[in-house]
């Protein structure tokens, strides 16, 4: 086989040992690493068709993989007014007013990234923005992407004038004491009431936005992602980009299983497994056990300070348990969104029940795990359940002094056990890190940095939230390489720099393990390689 890529003068970093391999060069062909050695012997493998890159001492790691992201929905949701930098109501009002002045009459305003902390100790609602949004149909997505604020005009156009009942138990049109909508819509079923009457981008626009987002992700060093959306035409987009050679990330896709899915729906999800192309495949099913703490839809063992977060996402949690059992028997891995302690416990119990009947041959995982008591930690390792975590949520949306909305809702005891990355690791769990983009930024160096320093990215001088839960530099890197490969059942072909392994590689100007945590996000990404071909290359490389 002709050698397609040669990297010379490289420092090849082993994420398992945290040390450099004795080799200085590698060759790749047909998407695999075919040889490791010194510059002379590896250069000899090149011919006129080979891409040869002298890295001049740059550091090469296995390709970084985001353990939880939503590229298709994220590309759509992040189109519009970015409200993520607004820290108070007045800042939001000013941003909305500027945007309104640019709108044509009757046009919709779309905003995203709104932090509920801007409302202080008051509930999220549209009333503070009524004057600015008078007559304007607007949808403002809160940062958790599980809730939106709809303006009065948007609600009117959608015919939403009171409470509704949904299959999703935690979905709600939030109303005041007189039964009038406050503008807050919780969970997808409620949000869709208004979203379906808002203008939609064309299919071509959506495809182009997705392609642009994926290219930007590759430029940050990402070579792959565990993709938690397969809704609508997502899989068709992946197919088209892959066939056109425009898919710059290797994607493992998990379609959703929602409450109300009947036995035929579950069978369809099972039959869908394995669909894919050269660089993507359907592998697993995504489920939800609860919503979010910030909007009161998590499932907690004790209510939050408002008496909320007391219910599962599934009206009957036993049905979820049966679905997990059916998927397990079919050999289908699952990834369940579980944020509250009761939700996490129920998922673990459901996996244990499934394993009791059919063995442990399937790798399941829990996503988010924002607050859990001590007695749940060891069960992850006992059951082989992967802990998929997003530490930047803790960094950017909570505060060390627990004055943020998330912490106030939980109270001191539960807020003090936020995002227990280190405790889970030391209890034997396989911890995988991700961004949950568009909830938080996707650059993987920022994700690893947040796992290490646990400080808000917007002001690194602020104190860390739960510094005792920080991961070491070595563990953070393993969580986005070795552990990500294990979670996908790919530990024999990914996550290491070794002959026969995938030629998915990330290249940095310096060693990410010795770069300070607060400096890590600024470490230059020189080259990203997917399947043996560069998907990003800095100008001077």
């Amino acid at each position: 086989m002709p050698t397609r890529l040669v990297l010379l003068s490289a420092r090849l970093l082993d994420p398992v040992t945290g040390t450099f391999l004795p080799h200085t060069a590698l060759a790749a062909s047909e998407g695999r690493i075919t040889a490791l050695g010194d510059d002379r012997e590896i250069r000899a493998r090149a011919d006129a068709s080979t891409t040869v890159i002298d890295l001049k001492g740059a550091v090469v790691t296995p390709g970084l993989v985001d353990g939880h992201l939503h590229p298709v929905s994220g590309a759509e949701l992040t189109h519009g007014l970015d409200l993520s930098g607004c820290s108070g109501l007045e800042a939001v009002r000013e941003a909305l007013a500027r945007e309104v002045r640019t709108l044509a009459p009757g046009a919709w305003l779309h905003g995203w990234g709104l932090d509920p902390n801007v409302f202080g100790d008051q509930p999220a609602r549209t009333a503070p923005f009524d004057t600015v949004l008078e007559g304007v149909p607007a949808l403002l997505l809160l940062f958790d992407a599980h809730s939106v604020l709809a303006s009065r005009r948007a609600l009117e156009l959608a015919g939403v004038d009171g409470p509704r009942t949904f299959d999703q138990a935690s979905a709600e049109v939030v109303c005041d004491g007189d039964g009038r909508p406050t503008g807050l819509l919780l969970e997808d079923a409620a949000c869709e009431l208004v979203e379906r009457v808002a203008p939609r981008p064309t299919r071509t626009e959506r495809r182009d936005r997705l392609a642009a987002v994926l290219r930007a992700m590759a430029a940050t060093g990402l070579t792959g992602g565990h993709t938690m959306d397969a809704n609508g035409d997502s899989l068709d987009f992946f197919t088209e980009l892959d066939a056109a050679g425009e898919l710059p990330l290797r994607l493992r896709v998990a379609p959703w299983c929602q409450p109300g899915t009947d036995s035929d729906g579950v069978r369809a999800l099972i039959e869908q497994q394995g669909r894919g192309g050269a660089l993507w495949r359907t592998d697993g099913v995504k489920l939800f056990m609860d919503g979010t703490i910030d909007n009161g839809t998590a499932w907690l063992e004790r209510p939050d300070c408002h008496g909320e977060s007391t219910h599962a996402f599934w009206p009957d949690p036993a049905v979820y348990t049966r679905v997990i059992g059916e998927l397990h028997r079919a050999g289908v891995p699952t990834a369940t969104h579980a944020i509250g302690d009761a939700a996490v416990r129920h998922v673990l119990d459901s996996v244990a029940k499934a394993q009791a009947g059919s063995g442990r041959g399937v790798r399941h995982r829990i996503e988010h795990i924002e607050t859990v008591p001590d007695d749940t930690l060891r069960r992850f390792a006992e059951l082989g359940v992967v802990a998929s975590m997003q530490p930047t949520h803790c960094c950017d949306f909570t505060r060390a002094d627990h004055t943020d909305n998330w912490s106030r809702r939980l109270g001191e005891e539960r807020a003090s056990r936020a995002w227990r990355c280190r405790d889970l690791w030391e209890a034997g769990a396989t911890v995988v890190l991700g961004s949950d983009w568009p909830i938080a930024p996707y650059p993987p160096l920022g994700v690893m940095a947040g796992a290490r320093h646990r400080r808000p990215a917007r002001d690194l001088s602020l104190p860390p939230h739960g510094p005792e839960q920080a991961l070491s530099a070595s563990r953070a890197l393993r969580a986005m390489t070795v552990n990500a490969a294990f979670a996908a059942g790919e530990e024999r072909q990914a996550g290491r720099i070794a002959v026969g392994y995938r030629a998915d590689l990330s290249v940095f100007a310096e060693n990410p393990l010795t770069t300070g945590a607060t400096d890590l996000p600024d470490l230059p990404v020189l080259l990203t390689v997917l399947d043996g071909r560069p998907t990003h290359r800095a100008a001077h490389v």
Side-chain angles (χ1 to χ4, degrees), residues 408-498:
R408 287 198 311 270
R409 277 183 172 271
L410 286 179
E412 196 64 25
E413 176 195 350
R414 290 180 291 192
S416 67
R417 56 186 193 225
W419 285 269
R420 301 179 70 174
C421 298
R422 182 174 179 179
D423 284 347
L424 279 161
W425 193 297
E426 295 191 346
T430 297
V431 176
V432 173
L433 296 182
S435 64
D436 197 15
W437 187 80
I439 311 305
Y442 55 71
L445 292 177
V447 173
M448 291 192 294
R452 292 167 56 182
H453 63 59
R454 294 176 68 97
R455 299 172 185 270
R458 70 178 72 89
D459 187 352
L460 293 170
S461 68
L462 293 175
H465 188 168
E468 71 282 356
Q469 294 301 330
L471 294 181
S472 66
S474 177
R475 286 178 172 179
L477 178 61
R478 287 169 60 189
M480 299 197 78
T481 53
V482 178
N483 290 5
F486 178 85
E490 299 174 341
E491 65 272 23
R492 295 185 179 180
Q493 59 179 327
R496 303 285 298 275
I497 298 177

Side-chain angles (χ1 to χ4, degrees), residues 2-16:
T3 297
R4 299 299 176 87
L5 176 71
V6 161
L7 301 182
L8 303 172
S9 301
R11 290 184 285 167
L12 307 176
L13 186 60
D14 181 359
V16 174

Side-chain angles (χ1 to χ4, degrees), residues 278-349:
L279 292 171
W280 73 275
R281 77 176 191 277
T282 302
D283 186 14
V285 169
K286 168 74 181 296
L287 304 98
F288 294 81
M289 202 62 245
D290 65 353
T292 69
I293 288 167
D294 277 293
N295 68 22
T297 59
W299 187 17
L300 299 172
E301 294 181 334
R302 301 191 315 276
D304 67 14
C305 71
H306 299 300
E308 298 177 336
S309 285
T310 58
H311 302 291
F313 190 70
W314 291 64
D316 182 357
V319 176
Y320 165 89
T321 301
R322 290 199 296 274
V323 170
I324 290 292
E326 187 171 349
L327 293 171
H328 182 85
R329 288 189 295 276
V332 178
T334 64
T336 300
H337 168 121
I339 281 179
D341 44 18
V344 172
R345 192 181 301 280
H346 188 83
V347 177
L348 292 170
D349 289 345

Side-chain angles (χ1 to χ4, degrees), residues 222-534:
L222 280 174
T223 65
H226 297 171
T227 304
M228 300 297 171
D229 56 8
N231 306 313
D233 44 14
S234 296
L235 301 187
D236 292 334
F237 284 151
F238 298 149
T239 299
E240 292 172 20
L241 293 174
D242 194 21
E246 298 175 14
L247 192 58
L249 264 68
R250 190 184 302 276
L251 301 176
R252 178 179 188 258
V253 184
W256 289 6
C257 180
Q258 296 272 35
T261 302
D262 59 17
S263 57
D264 288 341
V266 174
R267 280 195 296 272
L269 287 168
I270 294 170
E271 292 169 359
Q272 190 176 0
Q273 300 301 303
R275 175 186 172 184
L279 292 171
W280 73 275
R281 77 176 191 277
T282 302
D283 186 14
V285 169
K286 168 74 181 296
L287 304 98
F288 294 81
M289 202 62 245
D290 65 353
T292 69
I293 288 167
D294 277 293
N295 68 22
T297 59
W299 187 17
L300 299 172
E301 294 181 334
R302 301 191 315 276
D304 67 14
C305 71
H306 299 300
E308 298 177 336
S309 285
T310 58
H311 302 291
F313 190 70
W314 291 64
D316 182 357
V319 176
Y320 165 89
T321 301
R322 290 199 296 274
V323 170
I324 290 292
E326 187 171 349
L327 293 171
H328 182 85
R329 288 189 295 276
V332 178
T334 64
T336 300
H337 168 121
I339 281 179
D341 44 18
V344 172
R345 192 181 301 280
H346 188 83
V347 177
L348 292 170
D349 289 345
S350 298
V351 171
K353 185 174 182 179
Q355 291 178 350
S358 305
R360 291 188 51 171
V362 185
R363 290 178 189 170
H364 301 285
R365 47 193 281 174
I366 299 180
E367 311 297 314
H368 309 310
I369 318 166
E370 292 186 5
T371 179
V372 287
D374 291 345
D375 67 324
T376 62
L377 298 175
R378 58 177 175 75
R379 298 189 68 200
F380 280 81
E382 290 173 354
L383 298 170
V385 173
V386 171
S388 172
M389 306 190 74
Q390 299 76 43
T392 45
H393 295 194
C394 180
C395 296
D396 292 341
F397 304 128
T398 71
R399 301 171 189 152
D401 63 3
H402 296 168
T403 58
D404 58 279
N405 179 60
W406 185 93
S407 300
R408 287 198 311 270
R409 277 183 172 271
L410 286 179
E412 196 64 25
E413 176 195 350
R414 290 180 291 192
S416 67
R417 56 186 193 225
W419 285 269
R420 301 179 70 174
C421 298
R422 182 174 179 179
D423 284 347
L424 279 161
W425 193 297
E426 295 191 346
T430 297
V431 176
V432 173
L433 296 182
S435 64
D436 197 15
W437 187 80
I439 311 305
Y442 55 71
L445 292 177
V447 173
M448 291 192 294
R452 292 167 56 182
H453 63 59
R454 294 176 68 97
R455 299 172 185 270
R458 70 178 72 89
D459 187 352
L460 293 170
S461 68
L462 293 175
H465 188 168
E468 71 282 356
Q469 294 301 330
L471 294 181
S472 66
S474 177
R475 286 178 172 179
L477 178 61
R478 287 169 60 189
M480 299 197 78
T481 53
V482 178
N483 290 5
F486 178 85
E490 299 174 341
E491 65 272 23
R492 295 185 179 180
Q493 59 179 327
R496 303 285 298 275
I497 298 177
V499 173
Y501 277 57
R502 288 176 180 159
D504 295 354
L505 305 163
S506 305
V507 182
F508 306 100
E510 297 294 340
N511 187 351
L513 298 185
T514 57
T515 301
T518 56
D519 296 325
L520 188 60
D522 298 321
L523 181 63
V525 181
L526 304 183
L527 182 71
T528 310
V529 175
L530 176 67
D531 209 42
R533 61 182 176 88

